[in-house]
């Protein structure tokens, strides 16, 4: 990767440098190109770096996948080009197909409008029924409240009539002597005991 970048930079320097300048490519290391081989490296045979078999298998699989993908892309592009060419050659058929699709679209839109209208009528009917039901319940609640008020008035009237009847038995200054005589003539003994059911079980005698 670094050698490629270095080569590109050298080529760019060649193009941008003036013609009279002498370009010398940079070489890694301290020795120049004309220096002989070092004595310690004479007779050395360079051997290629070892290859990992697992890595080689992985690379082969990836390269096979790459070839398959590229082949599929080429076929896809070729199919698209052929299809466009076929459509251009068969323009009349395309126009006929477009006309049929337009007619089908119009028919579907008309059916959609009819369906929307039908659903709108159903929705309006449902809303009316719900409004009528709500009005009916409201009237029932009003009538129930009026009936409760009437019953309450009747109970109050009964209480008033009962109170008027009870007033007749009240002790006043006019009937005080009479009530005293009646109490003396008819004595009542309130000294008694009752059980849990309210029955008198024991009572003392009047003296």
């Amino acid at each position: 990767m670094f050698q490629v970048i270095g080569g590109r930079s050298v080529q760019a320097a060649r193009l941008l440098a003036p013609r009279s300048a002498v370009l010398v490519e940079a070489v890694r290391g301290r020795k120049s190109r004309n220096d002989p081989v070092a004595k310690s490296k004479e007779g050395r045979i360079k051997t290629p770096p070892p290859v990992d078999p697992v890595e080689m298998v992985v690379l082969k699989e990836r390269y096979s996948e790459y070839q398959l993908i590229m082949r599929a892309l080429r076929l896809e592009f070729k199919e698209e080009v052929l299809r466009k060419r076929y459509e251009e050659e068969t323009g009349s058929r395309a126009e006929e197909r477009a006309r049929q699709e337009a007619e089908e679209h119009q028919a579907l839109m008309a059916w959609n409008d009819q369906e929307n209208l039908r659903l709108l009528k159903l929705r309006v009917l449902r809303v009316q029924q719900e409004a009528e039901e709500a009005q009916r319940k409201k009237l029932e609640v009003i009538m129930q409240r009026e009936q409760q008020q009437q019953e309450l008035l009747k109970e109050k009237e009964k209480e008033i009539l009962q109170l008027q009847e009870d007033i007749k038995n009240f002790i006043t200054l006019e009937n005080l002597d009479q009530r005293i005589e009646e109490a003396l003539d008819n004595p009542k003994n309130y000294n008694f005991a009752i059980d849990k059911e309210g029955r008198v079980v024991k009572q003392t005698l009047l003296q």
Side-chain angles (χ1 to χ4, degrees), residues 2-17:
F2 293 102
Q3 293 177 357
V4 174
I5 295 174
R8 290 180 180 176
S9 62
V10 171
Q11 292 177 0
R14 283 180 177 177
L15 294 174
L16 296 177

Side-chain angles (χ1 to χ4, degrees), residues 164-181:
Q164 290 176 355
E165 292 293 330
D166 295 339
I167 289 174
K168 296 178 181 179
N169 297 325
F170 285 175
I171 298 175
T172 61
L173 293 176
E174 289 78 8
N175 60 4
L176 180 60
D177 296 335
Q178 180 181 357
R179 290 300 180 88
I180 292 174
E181 291 179 358

Side-chain angles (χ1 to χ4, degrees), residues 63 68 80-81 98 127-128 140 145 162-163 169 185 190 192:
Y63 184 68
L68 290 175
E80 185 177 358
V81 171
V127 171
Q128 291 178 354
E140 288 180 356
R145 288 181 180 176
Q162 184 65 32
L163 184 60
N169 297 325
D185 294 338
Y190 295 98
F192 57 85

Side-chain angles (χ1 to χ4, degrees), residues 62-147:
R62 291 183 179 179
Y63 184 68
S64 299
E65 292 177 0
Y66 169 77
Q67 287 181 333
L68 290 175
I69 294 172
M70 294 302 296
R71 188 180 297 110
L73 290 174
R74 292 191 189 95
L75 292 175
E76 183 71 21
F77 294 152
K78 184 177 180 181
E79 182 181 358
E80 185 177 358
V81 171
L82 293 175
R83 180 173 56 81
K84 289 183 178 179
R85 186 182 301 173
Y86 175 78
E87 290 178 355
E88 291 176 357
E89 292 176 355
T90 58
S92 59
R93 295 182 182 178
E95 292 178 358
E96 180 67 20
R97 190 183 304 108
R99 186 182 61 78
Q100 292 178 358
E101 290 179 355
E103 292 177 355
E104 184 179 0
H105 178 71
Q106 292 179 357
L108 290 175
M109 291 298 295
W111 176 83
N112 189 24
D113 294 338
Q114 294 178 359
E115 189 69 14
N116 289 337
L117 182 61
R118 184 181 66 83
L119 294 177
L120 178 62
K121 292 180 180 179
L122 292 176
R123 192 180 302 111
V124 171
L125 180 61
R126 185 179 71 252
V127 171
Q128 291 178 354
Q129 292 177 353
E130 291 177 354
E132 293 175 357
E133 183 69 17
Q135 186 67 20
R136 184 182 63 80
K137 291 183 178 179
K138 185 177 180 180
L139 292 175
E140 288 180 356
V141 171
I142 294 174
M143 293 177 62
Q144 187 176 3
R145 288 181 180 176
E146 291 179 354
Q147 185 178 0

